[in-house]
Amino acid sequence: IVMTQTPLSSPVTLGRPASISCRSSQSLVHSDGDTYLSWLQQRPGQPPRLLIYKISNRFSGVPDRFSGSGAGTDFTLEITRVEAEDVGVYYCMQATQFPITFGQGTRLDIK
Amino acid sequence: QITLKESGPTLVKPTQTLTLTCMFSGFSLRTSGVGVGWIRQPPGKALEWLALIYWDDDKRYSPFLKSRLTITKDTSKNQVVLTMTNMDPVDTATYYCAHSRAEYPNTFDLWGQGTLVTVSS
């Protein structure tokens, strides 16, 4: 399954919202009824960090300014008010079907 | 507290075999639903999933690299080992191990810091 993210780069103003899209080449609905689409954040020089799992569930400790939505093949990560610590690269990941695949990444930086 | 740490050579020569170890703490690979995966990231590029091993010894591999990869676990030592044969300069990357559990199904909730492996003669 190919994961395609847009945009690849997103300069944003502090305090303003940001949105990243992820589209899969086929439906991510698993035979068990769940959709295994995750979002990860990778700050500069750091390993990836889980933000969102199963489309819209925030992982422990993730600020509520991060939210995920979508269904089927189209998904979105939204940040309501971007903070300086949000700078980094964001990846969508599907684990509905092997092989697990990632999007190309979206670089978020501050204008 | 769950932690994972990757270790292995920083430099390997082309055609050599790479052996990476993921040492973990705070969980057991005997626990139902738990898995440990390997993911790599070439410098400046995106993440690429390599392999995953589950508590019941079920193993999954990237089809693109399956012929070169072997993943094993040693539950007594809290280790997962990944071997990759016939290394090539294009395999230069940071290699991460990551944890998976039933509470957060089909994702990697915690990651190691990664280890950079350079392939060069």
Side-chain angles (χ1 to χ4, degrees):
Chain A
I1 297 176
V2 177
M3 307 297 288
T4 303
Q5 290 182 228
T6 54
L8 297 184
S9 179
S10 180
V12 296
T13 302
L14 287 175
R16 298 293 294 168
S19 179
I20 300 169
S21 295
C22 176
R23 177 168 290 180
S24 57
S25 60
Q26 57 188 270
S27 174
L28 296 187
V29 179
H30 194 277
S31 57
D32 65 9
D34 274 323
T35 300
Y36 297 107
L37 184 284
S38 302
W39 289 97
L40 302 106
Q41 175 197 60
Q42 188 173 31
R43 291 171 172 153
Q46 294 295 312
R49 165 198 178 202
L50 178 65
L51 295 178
I52 303 283
Y53 64 98
K54 289 203 299 181
I55 301 178
S56 59
N57 296 271
R58 268 189 304 276
F59 184 56
S60 174
V62 174
D64 60 8
R65 65 178 181 275
F66 291 93
S67 64
S69 62
T73 61
D74 289 282
F75 306 94
T76 303
L77 175 70
E78 293 183 317
I79 310 173
T80 51
R81 293 172 302 278
V82 171
E83 298 187 5
E85 65 179 17
D86 299 336
V87 166
V89 181
Y90 291 78
Y91 295 94
C92 59
M93 180 192 96
Q94 72 79 24
T96 290
Q97 179 179 318
F98 286 103
I100 294 169
T101 48
F102 295 87
Q104 322 96 297
T106 295
R107 183 171 302 278
L108 186 78
D109 55 21
I110 306 301
K111 282 182 183 176
Chain B
Q1 181 191 3
I2 291 174
T3 63
L4 305 100
K5 186 172 183 179
E6 307 85 352
S7 62
T10 56
L11 179 66
V12 297
K13 290 181 168 43
T15 76
Q16 286 186 337
T17 294
L18 172 68
T19 299
L20 295 173
T21 301
C22 177
M23 294 195 63
F24 57 84
S25 63
F27 68 94
S28 171
L29 254 177
R30 294 190 180 96
T31 302
S32 177
V34 171
V36 172
W38 285 93
I39 303 96
R40 71 179 179 181
Q41 184 174 39
K45 295 188 177 180
L47 301 164
E48 179 186 14
W49 173 73
L50 302 175
L52 177 57
I53 189 166
Y54 290 101
W55 85 100
D56 59 358
D57 212 36
D58 184 18
K59 301 170 186 177
R60 304 296 178 120
Y61 295 99
S62 166
F64 309 106
L65 294 165
K66 185 173 183 178
S67 62
R68 299 173 55 204
L69 295 174
T70 303
I71 190 170
T72 60
K73 61 181 174 67
D74 186 332
T75 52
S76 64
K77 293 182 179 179
N78 280 355
Q79 290 180 358
V80 170
V81 174
L82 181 76
T83 60
M84 181 181 294
T85 61
N86 195 25
M87 293 292 284
D88 183 272
V90 300
D91 297 314
T92 294
T94 295
Y95 287 76
Y96 297 100
C97 62
H99 171 261
S100 179
R101 56 180 146 171
E103 183 180 0
Y104 306 104
N106 293 43
T107 193
F108 296 113
D109 61 330
L110 294 162
W111 295 59
Q113 287 296 310
T115 185
L116 176 61
V117 178
T118 301
V119 184
S120 175
S121 54

